[in-house]
Amino acid sequence: QVQLVESGGGLVQPGGSLRLSCAASGSIFSINDMGWYRQAPGKQRELVASIGRSGWTNYADSVKGRFTTSRENAKNAVYLQMNSLAPEDTAVYYCQARIVRDRSSSESDYWGQGTQVTVSS
C-alpha cells in the first residue's frame, strides 16, 4: 500500500504565499518524478510543476517565477512554494508521484487526496 498525503492548503489574500507539502509512505522501493497538479471548478486538471529525482524541474508558464518545487528524497517528500498568489491560482492542488514498489515492479502513478487553495480578499 502506498499513500501520498498533502498539507499546507488554505485561504490566502492576493499577493500572499503558501507552501504545500506532500509525503509518500508505504511500500516504496524508489520514487522517480514527482509533481503538482491543480484543478479549478469547471476546468481540467493541469500540471503546475514537476521535479525529477536528480532535481530537474519543469513549470507551467502561468506559474513560472512565482512557484518553486523542491523535494527531499530521504523523506519521500515534495514541496511547492507558491508566492505572489492570484485569484486564478484558486484550485484543488494534487500531489503526484511515479513510484516503484519493489525491484521487480515497474513504476506506477500515485496521487494524493488534494488540498484546497483559495486566493481571495
PDB file of all heavy atoms in Angstrom, residues 73-95:
ATOM      1  N   ASN A  73      14.517  13.524  -1.078  1.00  0.00           N
ATOM      2  CA  ASN A  73      14.431  12.110  -1.415  1.00  0.00           C
ATOM      3  C   ASN A  73      14.471  11.216  -0.175  1.00  0.00           C
ATOM      4  O   ASN A  73      13.780  10.199  -0.116  1.00  0.00           O
ATOM      5  CB  ASN A  73      15.555  11.728  -2.372  1.00  0.00           C
ATOM      6  CG  ASN A  73      15.378  12.371  -3.731  1.00  0.00           C
ATOM      7  OD1 ASN A  73      14.265  12.646  -4.172  1.00  0.00           O
ATOM      8  ND2 ASN A  73      16.493  12.630  -4.407  1.00  0.00           N
ATOM      9  N   ALA A  74      15.231  11.610   0.825  1.00  0.00           N
ATOM     10  CA  ALA A  74      15.338  10.799   2.042  1.00  0.00           C
ATOM     11  C   ALA A  74      14.014  10.722   2.793  1.00  0.00           C
ATOM     12  O   ALA A  74      13.779   9.788   3.560  1.00  0.00           O
ATOM     13  CB  ALA A  74      16.422  11.362   2.948  1.00  0.00           C
ATOM     14  N   LYS A  75      13.168  11.724   2.583  1.00  0.00           N
ATOM     15  CA  LYS A  75      11.867  11.765   3.272  1.00  0.00           C
ATOM     16  C   LYS A  75      10.717  11.411   2.334  1.00  0.00           C
ATOM     17  O   LYS A  75       9.549  11.479   2.739  1.00  0.00           O
ATOM     18  CB  LYS A  75      11.623  13.147   3.875  1.00  0.00           C
ATOM     19  CG  LYS A  75      12.596  13.516   4.976  1.00  0.00           C
ATOM     20  CD  LYS A  75      12.241  14.879   5.572  1.00  0.00           C
ATOM     21  CE  LYS A  75      13.175  15.239   6.722  1.00  0.00           C
ATOM     22  NZ  LYS A  75      12.834  16.561   7.327  1.00  0.00           N
ATOM     23  N   ASN A  76      11.024  11.058   1.089  1.00  0.00           N
ATOM     24  CA  ASN A  76       9.973  10.790   0.096  1.00  0.00           C
ATOM     25  C   ASN A  76       8.977  11.941   0.030  1.00  0.00           C
ATOM     26  O   ASN A  76       7.761  11.726  -0.045  1.00  0.00           O
ATOM     27  CB  ASN A  76       9.243   9.479   0.428  1.00  0.00           C
ATOM     28  CG  ASN A  76      10.105   8.251   0.226  1.00  0.00           C
ATOM     29  OD1 ASN A  76      11.075   8.280  -0.546  1.00  0.00           O
ATOM     30  ND2 ASN A  76       9.786   7.176   0.915  1.00  0.00           N
ATOM     31  N   ALA A  77       9.499  13.158   0.069  1.00  0.00           N
ATOM     32  CA  ALA A  77       8.647  14.334   0.165  1.00  0.00           C
ATOM     33  C   ALA A  77       8.899  15.297  -0.990  1.00  0.00           C
ATOM     34  O   ALA A  77      10.015  15.386  -1.527  1.00  0.00           O
ATOM     35  CB  ALA A  77       8.875  15.053   1.482  1.00  0.00           C
ATOM     36  N   VAL A  78       7.850  16.021  -1.349  1.00  0.00           N
ATOM     37  CA  VAL A  78       7.931  17.062  -2.370  1.00  0.00           C
ATOM     38  C   VAL A  78       7.187  18.281  -1.844  1.00  0.00           C
ATOM     39  O   VAL A  78       6.222  18.157  -1.074  1.00  0.00           O
ATOM     40  CB  VAL A  78       7.348  16.573  -3.709  1.00  0.00           C
ATOM     41  CG1 VAL A  78       5.868  16.252  -3.602  1.00  0.00           C
ATOM     42  CG2 VAL A  78       7.612  17.583  -4.822  1.00  0.00           C
ATOM     43  N   TYR A  79       7.652  19.456  -2.250  1.00  0.00           N
ATOM     44  CA  TYR A  79       7.102  20.703  -1.748  1.00  0.00           C
ATOM     45  C   TYR A  79       6.775  21.646  -2.907  1.00  0.00           C
ATOM     46  O   TYR A  79       7.369  21.556  -3.980  1.00  0.00           O
ATOM     47  CB  TYR A  79       8.093  21.384  -0.812  1.00  0.00           C
ATOM     48  CG  TYR A  79       8.619  20.472   0.258  1.00  0.00           C
ATOM     49  CD1 TYR A  79       9.858  19.839   0.115  1.00  0.00           C
ATOM     50  CD2 TYR A  79       7.883  20.218   1.412  1.00  0.00           C
ATOM     51  CE1 TYR A  79      10.331  18.976   1.081  1.00  0.00           C
ATOM     52  CE2 TYR A  79       8.357  19.354   2.387  1.00  0.00           C
ATOM     53  CZ  TYR A  79       9.585  18.730   2.220  1.00  0.00           C
ATOM     54  OH  TYR A  79      10.050  17.872   3.178  1.00  0.00           O
ATOM     55  N   LEU A  80       5.847  22.562  -2.651  1.00  0.00           N
ATOM     56  CA  LEU A  80       5.533  23.594  -3.635  1.00  0.00           C
ATOM     57  C   LEU A  80       5.408  24.912  -2.888  1.00  0.00           C
ATOM     58  O   LEU A  80       4.459  25.101  -2.113  1.00  0.00           O
ATOM     59  CB  LEU A  80       4.231  23.278  -4.378  1.00  0.00           C
ATOM     60  CG  LEU A  80       3.874  24.254  -5.497  1.00  0.00           C
ATOM     61  CD1 LEU A  80       4.885  24.130  -6.654  1.00  0.00           C
ATOM     62  CD2 LEU A  80       2.459  24.002  -6.020  1.00  0.00           C
ATOM     63  N   GLN A  81       6.374  25.793  -3.103  1.00  0.00           N
ATOM     64  CA  GLN A  81       6.333  27.132  -2.541  1.00  0.00           C
ATOM     65  C   GLN A  81       5.637  28.041  -3.538  1.00  0.00           C
ATOM     66  O   GLN A  81       6.089  28.171  -4.676  1.00  0.00           O
ATOM     67  CB  GLN A  81       7.748  27.648  -2.257  1.00  0.00           C
ATOM     68  CG  GLN A  81       7.797  29.066  -1.726  1.00  0.00           C
ATOM     69  CD  GLN A  81       7.167  29.207  -0.355  1.00  0.00           C
ATOM     70  OE1 GLN A  81       7.380  28.370   0.520  1.00  0.00           O
ATOM     71  NE2 GLN A  81       6.387  30.263  -0.162  1.00  0.00           N
ATOM     72  N   MET A  82       4.545  28.652  -3.113  1.00  0.00           N
ATOM     73  CA  MET A  82       3.742  29.482  -4.001  1.00  0.00           C
ATOM     74  C   MET A  82       3.774  30.920  -3.496  1.00  0.00           C
ATOM     75  O   MET A  82       3.315  31.197  -2.380  1.00  0.00           O
ATOM     76  CB  MET A  82       2.302  28.965  -4.045  1.00  0.00           C
ATOM     77  CG  MET A  82       2.192  27.500  -4.462  1.00  0.00           C
ATOM     78  SD  MET A  82       0.490  26.932  -4.629  1.00  0.00           S
ATOM     79  CE  MET A  82      -0.051  26.997  -2.927  1.00  0.00           C
ATOM     80  N   ASN A  83       4.312  31.810  -4.298  1.00  0.00           N
ATOM     81  CA  ASN A  83       4.396  33.227  -3.957  1.00  0.00           C
ATOM     82  C   ASN A  83       3.570  34.054  -4.932  1.00  0.00           C
ATOM     83  O   ASN A  83       3.199  33.573  -6.006  1.00  0.00           O
ATOM     84  CB  ASN A  83       5.848  33.695  -3.993  1.00  0.00           C
ATOM     85  CG  ASN A  83       6.729  32.963  -2.995  1.00  0.00           C
ATOM     86  OD1 ASN A  83       6.282  32.567  -1.916  1.00  0.00           O
ATOM     87  ND2 ASN A  83       7.993  32.769  -3.345  1.00  0.00           N
ATOM     88  N   SER A  84       3.298  35.284  -4.555  1.00  0.00           N
ATOM     89  CA  SER A  84       2.524  36.201  -5.415  1.00  0.00           C
ATOM     90  C   SER A  84       1.252  35.539  -5.923  1.00  0.00           C
ATOM     91  O   SER A  84       0.926  35.603  -7.116  1.00  0.00           O
ATOM     92  CB  SER A  84       3.389  36.661  -6.593  1.00  0.00           C
ATOM     93  OG  SER A  84       4.556  37.305  -6.143  1.00  0.00           O
ATOM     94  N   LEU A  85       0.533  34.921  -5.023  1.00  0.00           N
ATOM     95  CA  LEU A  85      -0.670  34.194  -5.411  1.00  0.00           C
ATOM     96  C   LEU A  85      -1.744  35.145  -5.926  1.00  0.00           C
ATOM     97  O   LEU A  85      -1.889  36.277  -5.443  1.00  0.00           O
ATOM     98  CB  LEU A  85      -1.196  33.376  -4.234  1.00  0.00           C
ATOM     99  CG  LEU A  85      -0.412  32.089  -3.969  1.00  0.00           C
ATOM    100  CD1 LEU A  85      -0.644  31.570  -2.559  1.00  0.00           C
ATOM    101  CD2 LEU A  85      -0.794  31.027  -4.993  1.00  0.00           C
ATOM    102  N   ALA A  86      -2.496  34.653  -6.903  1.00  0.00           N
ATOM    103  CA  ALA A  86      -3.562  35.431  -7.532  1.00  0.00           C
ATOM    104  C   ALA A  86      -4.856  34.619  -7.497  1.00  0.00           C
ATOM    105  O   ALA A  86      -4.820  33.391  -7.348  1.00  0.00           O
ATOM    106  CB  ALA A  86      -3.184  35.755  -8.970  1.00  0.00           C
ATOM    107  N   PRO A  87      -5.996  35.273  -7.622  1.00  0.00           N
ATOM    108  CA  PRO A  87      -7.272  34.541  -7.585  1.00  0.00           C
ATOM    109  C   PRO A  87      -7.341  33.385  -8.584  1.00  0.00           C
ATOM    110  O   PRO A  87      -7.969  32.357  -8.290  1.00  0.00           O
ATOM    111  CB  PRO A  87      -8.296  35.628  -7.905  1.00  0.00           C
ATOM    112  CG  PRO A  87      -7.679  36.880  -7.366  1.00  0.00           C
ATOM    113  CD  PRO A  87      -6.208  36.730  -7.659  1.00  0.00           C
ATOM    114  N   GLU A  88      -6.694  33.537  -9.713  1.00  0.00           N
ATOM    115  CA  GLU A  88      -6.732  32.456 -10.716  1.00  0.00           C
ATOM    116  C   GLU A  88      -5.930  31.232 -10.297  1.00  0.00           C
ATOM    117  O   GLU A  88      -5.964  30.198 -10.984  1.00  0.00           O
ATOM    118  CB  GLU A  88      -6.252  32.969 -12.084  1.00  0.00           C
ATOM    119  CG  GLU A  88      -4.930  33.669 -12.070  1.00  0.00           C
ATOM    120  CD  GLU A  88      -5.085  35.187 -11.941  1.00  0.00           C
ATOM    121  OE1 GLU A  88      -6.031  35.634 -11.246  1.00  0.00           O
ATOM    122  OE2 GLU A  88      -4.253  35.908 -12.533  1.00  0.00           O
ATOM    123  N   ASP A  89      -5.199  31.315  -9.213  1.00  0.00           N
ATOM    124  CA  ASP A  89      -4.493  30.148  -8.671  1.00  0.00           C
ATOM    125  C   ASP A  89      -5.412  29.297  -7.789  1.00  0.00           C
ATOM    126  O   ASP A  89      -5.005  28.219  -7.339  1.00  0.00           O
ATOM    127  CB  ASP A  89      -3.281  30.585  -7.852  1.00  0.00           C
ATOM    128  CG  ASP A  89      -2.223  31.264  -8.698  1.00  0.00           C
ATOM    129  OD1 ASP A  89      -1.921  30.757  -9.795  1.00  0.00           O
ATOM    130  OD2 ASP A  89      -1.699  32.306  -8.252  1.00  0.00           O
ATOM    131  N   THR A  90      -6.606  29.775  -7.537  1.00  0.00           N
ATOM    132  CA  THR A  90      -7.556  29.026  -6.714  1.00  0.00           C
ATOM    133  C   THR A  90      -7.902  27.700  -7.376  1.00  0.00           C
ATOM    134  O   THR A  90      -8.311  27.664  -8.541  1.00  0.00           O
ATOM    135  CB  THR A  90      -8.830  29.846  -6.493  1.00  0.00           C
ATOM    136  OG1 THR A  90      -8.513  31.017  -5.732  1.00  0.00           O
ATOM    137  CG2 THR A  90      -9.882  29.025  -5.756  1.00  0.00           C
ATOM    138  N   ALA A  91      -7.706  26.624  -6.637  1.00  0.00           N
ATOM    139  CA  ALA A  91      -7.934  25.283  -7.177  1.00  0.00           C
ATOM    140  C   ALA A  91      -7.682  24.257  -6.074  1.00  0.00           C
ATOM    141  O   ALA A  91      -7.161  24.600  -5.003  1.00  0.00           O
ATOM    142  CB  ALA A  91      -7.008  25.007  -8.351  1.00  0.00           C
ATOM    143  N   VAL A  92      -8.016  23.021  -6.379  1.00  0.00           N
ATOM    144  CA  VAL A  92      -7.568  21.907  -5.549  1.00  0.00           C
ATOM    145  C   VAL A  92      -6.222  21.452  -6.118  1.00  0.00           C
ATOM    146  O   VAL A  92      -6.116  21.190  -7.313  1.00  0.00           O
ATOM    147  CB  VAL A  92      -8.566  20.742  -5.552  1.00  0.00           C
ATOM    148  CG1 VAL A  92      -8.021  19.572  -4.731  1.00  0.00           C
ATOM    149  CG2 VAL A  92      -9.914  21.203  -4.997  1.00  0.00           C
ATOM    150  N   TYR A  93      -5.228  21.374  -5.262  1.00  0.00           N
ATOM    151  CA  TYR A  93      -3.877  21.000  -5.678  1.00  0.00           C
ATOM    152  C   TYR A  93      -3.612  19.543  -5.287  1.00  0.00           C
ATOM    153  O   TYR A  93      -3.849  19.148  -4.140  1.00  0.00           O
ATOM    154  CB  TYR A  93      -2.852  21.928  -5.036  1.00  0.00           C
ATOM    155  CG  TYR A  93      -2.794  23.274  -5.700  1.00  0.00           C
ATOM    156  CD1 TYR A  93      -3.840  24.177  -5.557  1.00  0.00           C
ATOM    157  CD2 TYR A  93      -1.705  23.646  -6.486  1.00  0.00           C
ATOM    158  CE1 TYR A  93      -3.811  25.411  -6.190  1.00  0.00           C
ATOM    159  CE2 TYR A  93      -1.656  24.882  -7.114  1.00  0.00           C
ATOM    160  CZ  TYR A  93      -2.716  25.757  -6.964  1.00  0.00           C
ATOM    161  OH  TYR A  93      -2.674  26.979  -7.595  1.00  0.00           O
ATOM    162  N   TYR A  94      -3.108  18.785  -6.248  1.00  0.00           N
ATOM    163  CA  TYR A  94      -2.849  17.364  -6.051  1.00  0.00           C
ATOM    164  C   TYR A  94      -1.358  17.069  -6.207  1.00  0.00           C
ATOM    165  O   TYR A  94      -0.714  17.547  -7.146  1.00  0.00           O
ATOM    166  CB  TYR A  94      -3.608  16.533  -7.080  1.00  0.00           C
ATOM    167  CG  TYR A  94      -5.106  16.633  -6.987  1.00  0.00           C
ATOM    168  CD1 TYR A  94      -5.802  17.590  -7.707  1.00  0.00           C
ATOM    169  CD2 TYR A  94      -5.829  15.753  -6.183  1.00  0.00           C
ATOM    170  CE1 TYR A  94      -7.178  17.690  -7.631  1.00  0.00           C
ATOM    171  CE2 TYR A  94      -7.209  15.840  -6.101  1.00  0.00           C
ATOM    172  CZ  TYR A  94      -7.871  16.809  -6.831  1.00  0.00           C
ATOM    173  OH  TYR A  94      -9.240  16.890  -6.750  1.00  0.00           O
ATOM    174  N   CYS A  95      -0.859  16.258  -5.319  1.00  0.00           N
ATOM    175  CA  CYS A  95       0.487  15.733  -5.408  1.00  0.00           C
ATOM    176  C   CYS A  95       0.470  14.440  -6.222  1.00  0.00           C
ATOM    177  O   CYS A  95      -0.468  13.640  -6.104  1.00  0.00           O
ATOM    178  CB  CYS A  95       0.995  15.470  -3.984  1.00  0.00           C
ATOM    179  SG  CYS A  95       2.522  14.551  -3.868  1.00  0.00           S
TER     180      CYS A  95
END
